[in-house]
Amino acid sequence: MALLVVMSAVTFMLMRLTPGNFLDTLRLDPQISKDTLAYYTRLYQLDAPAWQQYLHWLAGLFRGEWGYSFYYNVPVAQIIGPRLVNTFILSLAAFLVTWMAAIPLGIWAALNRGNGRDRALQCAAYAVISLPGFFVAMILLFMAAVTGCLPLGGIESPGAGELPFIARMIDMARHLVIPVTALSLGSIAVLQKLMRGNMLEVLGRQYIFAARARGIPEDRVIYVHALRNAINPIITLLGYEFASLLSGAALMEIITSWPGLGSMMLTAVRAKDIYLVMAGMMMGGVLFVAGNLMADIALAKADPRIKIG
Amino acid sequence: MVPGVFKSTTGLFLLCFFILAVVTAPVIGAAPTRYGGTLVLSVTSDPRSFNPILAKETSTTTMTGHMFEGLTTMDPFTLKVIPNLAERWEADKSGLIWTFHLRRGLCWSDGVPLTAADVVFTFNDLIFNDEVPSSARDIFTVEGKPLRVDAVDPLTVRFTLPALFAPFLRSLGQEILPRHALEKAVRDKKFTFTWGINAKLSDIVGSGPYRLKEYQPGRRVVFSANPYYWKKDADGGVLPYIPRIEYVIVPGMDVELLKFIEGSIDVYTMRGMDYPLLKPQEASKGFTVYDLGPDLGTSFITFNQNPGINTANGKPFVAPYKRAWFSDVRFRRAVAHLVDKKRIIEIVKNGMGYPQDSPESPAAGFFYCGDVRKYDYSLEAARGLLAEMGCADKNNDGILEDAEGRPLEFNLYTNADNTERVDAAAIIRSDLERAGMKVNLQLVEFNTLVAKLTSTCDWDAVILGLTGGIDPHFGQNVWRSSGQLHMWHPRQQAPATAWEKRIDDIFTAGVKEFDEGKRKSLYDEYQKIVVEELPVIYTALGARLVAVKNRFGNLKPSPFGGVLHNIEEIYVK
């Protein structure tokens, strides 16, 4: 909570410290008079001192009012809503792909430790880790532009609104391929390494020997006894991963023209739409905190030794 | 596993697409119909409102433009005022009372008749309503007084002007709004929040060829044909031909360009830099590039001649010795001789541009005056003028010094986000330096630049552009000495120079002159004075290039109206 308040105060200050306000484009329009500008300044209270504006906004927040967007002239919540959903779709897809690829890969690598297949995978992982996500996205976009096999960014094709539901979902899935690949590739590489390491450590433990000695089938030893313990530390990461994906998606959204929170924030910051920026920041902050909370809860569930309190 | 799924989804998608294509394709074999199809367009930002009164920038006005119409409109080729919702009008002898006759049988897109009451409502309850922020109010306020609007009968409206106002007819392109749909919102003082982007789309009632069907933030805006639209084709058939327009919302022009090449959008408004990429692909990709002539806006460099003093710190806005150079017309003429318009067009606009000489763009048609003093690119002429001022390189450091021995050094500002402007600034700077000036190019944020120009006034030189219009009168905020945007010396109490006084007089006289010929000669004079005195030095205008896919009939691109001005008549071939 305190974190969110501090974050909002800093954002507000930064927005106010940068020169200009959202009326600046109007100022250079020959058809707009001084009176009209003064009218807007009064209407949006742009002449009030910064702290007064901030407190006004904060008080509103506690009443559930997110403020008003200068730029779109509607309550901020109505703009954020659909964008949040889009960001969520992207993050969730990337998250699922990451985990569904990384965990089996990690186990597979651990079981193949040291042989050619494992080495090739680890080599590829290092290569991928060293590539920044935005670069991957650009290469993919370039390849899509040359081959024409995937759409060039955006969330849907023109005319998608007319298609039946299933075709629309498929259309969106096609648009998801590039941003999701770019977002998850790096995380898969890191995560599978962690999984591999944990798995190897657990497999070397005494109780695994004991289990094997008792004649429990090898599959059961690996997937029940070893996996359960190896995955524990990784679950802690789950929440952080998701939270950082939500915020990390911003750059990818801008590159691949995904209409989510990130692209919205860029427009809002540029237009000096201060309340929209604030709401976007708060949303990001809340998601981050929620992600961490989720991680703690998941960990407590997975490991009975940890108590919340 | 993964490639397999991918392949089959692509297949399914193609199948769906194919079905869609078959369903929407025109019926072959039957009499050729012009009805049907979709026009796919793009915008680079979300609309900010669907309310034409509150609309201020292009992403919004493009949308409202399809839905609303005014009493008059402009012929896209001759720029003459022609009838629209009003079928004819007459003025009395004084030129102050105008009577407009609406067309018979006009309807709003919900079927309710459009009458004189709607016109009166638009002006009296919206434009002249103190609680409604509207840029239209500034246009219709003549000498500080609003004009009077009365309904004579349901089809007749009378306008009474407080004083002669020549741009009146042209200004009546102002969109008319429906009283029945908005009256309540105005009464409840909620008009400013009405028809925003959160509105129920079926509530937005207009008189244009299209009405809103769907809006998905960040994704698309979809229009469908307005069944009540009044315009008919030559055979009396209803218009528009194309039943559906879809705007794809893209984050920027680069994406827009890619999507156009990819083939998913139909029309792309090009930048000069796109020309070498797109032109060779015309035949293979099946589109045509139209050159619509120069832009309406302006692009220029100006020097600060403001003698004022910053009240906050008691210092002058511009160092007095610099102001002495800037207010010397020989200095400004020297700079004009150093602006290499040809090179700017070649490098910045890829050869697709026009040199600008006069404050009105050639795109303004009738009011443009090409017969002004020309400043050819000439280093010698510039050096001569500077030498005449007493500037010479006295200490042989390669930089000229003025008569008092101060080096000719100043800051040149422009906004960093406009790459074309930054490139032009670099070219201008290199030419100024060749003549012996020292120019510090400062790239700043757009908002910072605006603050410098309009409030803090602490700048030496600026490269900037302004939007333009057809009627010179609406540039008065720039040209009148009392204007906010009289950048080189804004908000003067009384004109500082004789020529500024003359321009003030011209704008006062021009707005009262109804004779188009006399009006033109007045505005010609102002253009000549400006080019003679050079408070702003013009550079070059971009060409308006539009690429359109070759699947449309009835395209009649015009320099003023663009390619979509007759959108209701355009059909899919």
Side-chain angles (χ1 to χ4, degrees), chain A residues 19-37 39-40 43-44 68 70-75 78-79 82-83 86 89 145 149-164 166-168 170-172 174-175 177 253-259 263 267 270-272, chain B residues 6 9-10 12-13 16-17 20 40 45-49 54 56-57 59 130-135 137-139 192-193 196-198 213-220 222 244 246 248 250-251 255 258-259 262 264-265 445-448 450-451 453-454 464-467 469 474-478 484-485 487 491:
Chain A
N21 61 41
F22 91 109
L23 290 180
D24 286 341
T25 25
L26 294 187
R27 265 181 240 282
L28 274 196
D29 185 337
Q31 297 204 5
I32 293 197
S33 76
K34 198 169 58 182
D35 297 340
T36 311
L37 285 172
Y39 176 87
Y40 278 116
L43 185 71
Y44 297 118
Y68 220 78
F70 300 142
Y71 189 80
Y72 294 103
N73 199 33
V74 292
Q78 288 177 343
I79 298 169
R83 263 98 173 164
N86 292 344
I89 292 175
C149 62
L150 281 174
L152 293 169
I155 189 167
E156 62 186 5
S157 316
E162 307 286 287
L163 295 173
I166 297 194
R168 232 163 57 208
I170 293 169
D171 182 47
M172 194 189 273
R174 271 169 54 80
H175 284 82
V177 173
E253 282 175 4
I254 293 164
I255 294 171
T256 61
S257 9
W258 189 266
S263 1
T267 328
R270 281 197 178 156
K272 305 256 168 215
Chain B
F6 177 54
T9 58
T10 325
L12 190 58
F13 174 79
C16 295
F17 199 76
L20 181 80
V40 184
S45 59
D46 276 89
R48 284 161 61 171
S49 166
L54 307 178
K56 286 182 287 278
E57 32 55 80
S59 63
D130 286 340
E131 278 145 16
V132 176
S134 152
S135 51
R137 184 170 37 219
D138 294 341
I139 295 173
T192 38
F193 307 117
I197 52 169
N198 55 344
K213 191 176 168 214
E214 192 190 355
Y215 168 52
Q216 294 279 344
R219 298 194 191 181
R220 60 175 178 251
V222 181
R244 187 171 180 277
E246 174 163 349
V248 181
V250 292
V255 182
L258 286 174
K259 295 233 165 213
E262 181 193 58
S264 60
I265 57 179
E445 185 79 13
F446 179 71
N447 309 67
T448 314
V450 175
L453 279 173
T454 56
L464 201 68
L466 287 179
T467 52
F474 296 113
Q476 63 167 339
N477 215 345
V478 178
Q484 291 281 309
L485 282 176
M487 292 154 291
R491 299 177 289 266

Side-chain angles (χ1 to χ4, degrees), chain B residues 548-566:
Chain B
V548 187
K549 284 223 233 129
N550 298 334
R551 61 183 197 104
F552 299 100
N554 263 349
L555 275 188
K556 296 172 187 159
S558 106
F560 172 68
V563 289
L564 297 176
H565 64 83
N566 59 337

Side-chain angles (χ1 to χ4, degrees), chain B residues 14-93:
Chain B
L14 282 178
L15 184 71
C16 295
F17 199 76
F18 180 70
I19 293 169
L20 181 80
V22 168
V23 169
T24 56
V27 188
I28 301 160
T33 172
R34 292 181 160 185
Y35 295 95
T38 294
L39 171 64
V40 184
L41 303 170
S42 55
V43 269
T44 48
S45 59
D46 276 89
R48 284 161 61 171
S49 166
F50 295 116
N51 188 327
I53 293 283
L54 307 178
K56 286 182 287 278
E57 32 55 80
T58 47
S59 63
T60 305
T61 51
T62 338
M63 302 298 162
T64 57
H66 296 312
M67 301 188 281
F68 299 93
E69 294 196 327
L71 294 177
T72 69
T73 187
M74 231 181 294
D75 184 292
F77 296 95
T78 62
L79 300 184
K80 288 236 152 55
V81 178
I82 54 171
N84 203 26
L85 292 179
E87 62 180 348
R88 63 198 161 84
W89 53 83
E90 64 264 347
D92 75 337
K93 279 209 186 95

Side-chain angles (χ1 to χ4, degrees), chain B residues 12-252:
Chain B
L12 190 58
F13 174 79
L14 282 178
L15 184 71
C16 295
F17 199 76
F18 180 70
I19 293 169
L20 181 80
V22 168
V23 169
T24 56
V27 188
I28 301 160
T33 172
R34 292 181 160 185
Y35 295 95
T38 294
L39 171 64
V40 184
L41 303 170
S42 55
V43 269
T44 48
S45 59
D46 276 89
R48 284 161 61 171
S49 166
F50 295 116
N51 188 327
I53 293 283
L54 307 178
K56 286 182 287 278
E57 32 55 80
T58 47
S59 63
T60 305
T61 51
T62 338
M63 302 298 162
T64 57
H66 296 312
M67 301 188 281
F68 299 93
E69 294 196 327
L71 294 177
T72 69
T73 187
M74 231 181 294
D75 184 292
F77 296 95
T78 62
L79 300 184
K80 288 236 152 55
V81 178
I82 54 171
N84 203 26
L85 292 179
E87 62 180 348
R88 63 198 161 84
W89 53 83
E90 64 264 347
D92 75 337
K93 279 209 186 95
S94 66
L96 292 175
I97 298 173
W98 292 73
T99 313
F100 284 78
H101 304 276
L102 299 181
R103 282 173 204 279
R104 268 170 206 287
L106 288 175
C107 274
W108 294 104
S109 57
D110 57 356
V112 175
L114 189 163
T115 66
D118 293 307
V119 181
V120 174
F121 170 79
T122 303
F123 282 89
N124 292 352
D125 297 69
L126 299 179
I127 294 175
F128 294 125
N129 183 342
D130 286 340
E131 278 145 16
V132 176
S134 152
S135 51
R137 184 170 37 219
D138 294 341
I139 295 173
F140 290 104
T141 303
V142 184
E143 293 186 356
K145 279 173 267 175
L147 41 84
R148 227 182 87 190
V149 190
D150 304 289
V152 179
D153 63 56
L155 288 178
T156 317
V157 193
R158 193 171 55 223
F159 288 84
T160 313
L161 306 183
L164 285 171
F165 183 57
F168 174 62
L169 264 185
R170 196 156 271 137
S171 309
L172 279 185
Q174 167 65 43
E175 297 93 340
I176 301 301
L177 273 74
R179 185 171 81 155
H180 69 279
L182 292 168
E183 205 172 22
K184 189 170 176 306
V186 174
R187 218 175 28 235
D188 300 345
K189 302 196 185 304
K190 284 195 179 132
F191 180 75
T192 38
F193 307 117
T194 307
W195 289 1
I197 52 169
N198 55 344
K200 199 172 139 219
L201 300 187
S202 56
D203 290 347
I204 303 176
V205 178
S207 59
Y210 288 93
R211 53 186 187 185
L212 261 179
K213 191 176 168 214
E214 192 190 355
Y215 168 52
Q216 294 279 344
R219 298 194 191 181
R220 60 175 178 251
V221 184
V222 181
F223 290 94
S224 61
N226 169 8
Y228 296 97
Y229 189 52
W230 59 271
K231 230 180 250 180
K232 303 277 181 280
D233 66 8
D235 307 326
V238 291
L239 289 175
Y241 289 129
I242 300 179
R244 187 171 180 277
I245 301 180
E246 174 163 349
Y247 276 92
V248 181
I249 300 169
V250 292

Side-chain angles (χ1 to χ4, degrees), chain A residues 22-200:
Chain A
F22 91 109
L23 290 180
D24 286 341
T25 25
L26 294 187
R27 265 181 240 282
L28 274 196
D29 185 337
Q31 297 204 5
I32 293 197
S33 76
K34 198 169 58 182
D35 297 340
T36 311
L37 285 172
Y39 176 87
Y40 278 116
T41 310
R42 268 201 320 279
L43 185 71
Y44 297 118
Q45 301 178 350
L46 292 176
D47 45 358
W51 60 269
Q52 208 173 325
Q53 281 185 10
Y54 176 70
L55 287 183
H56 184 76
W57 174 81
L58 199 64
L61 201 60
F62 284 108
R63 289 194 305 269
E65 291 164 15
W66 286 82
Y68 220 78
S69 162
F70 300 142
Y71 189 80
Y72 294 103
N73 199 33
V74 292
V76 160
Q78 288 177 343
I79 298 169
I80 291 207
R83 263 98 173 164
L84 192 64
V85 171
N86 292 344
T87 295
F88 211 73
I89 292 175
L90 178 61
S91 302
L92 198 69
F95 180 75
L96 289 178
V97 167
T98 305
W99 284 75
M100 274 153 65
I103 301 295
L105 268 178
I107 299 171
W108 180 79
L111 297 179
N112 286 291
R113 175 165 67 137
N115 69 19
R117 277 168 295 183
D118 180 36
R119 283 207 194 135
L121 180 69
Q122 297 318 313
C123 230
Y126 275 119
V128 168
I129 292 170
S130 58
L131 279 179
F134 75 89
F135 188 66
V136 175
M138 291 216 199
I139 290 178
L140 290 175
L141 280 176
F142 179 74
M143 272 161 43
V146 172
T147 59
C149 62
L150 281 174
L152 293 169
I155 189 167
E156 62 186 5
S157 316
E162 307 286 287
L163 295 173
F165 180 76
I166 297 194
R168 232 163 57 208
M169 288 299 109
I170 293 169
D171 182 47
M172 194 189 273
R174 271 169 54 80
H175 284 82
L176 270 170
V177 173
I178 291 180
V180 165
T181 314
L183 267 177
S184 53
L185 219 51
S187 326
I188 292 177
V190 175
L191 212 60
Q192 69 85 18
K193 269 190 178 302
L194 278 175
M195 189 64 212
R196 176 179 175 269
N198 283 338
M199 198 69 187
L200 284 177

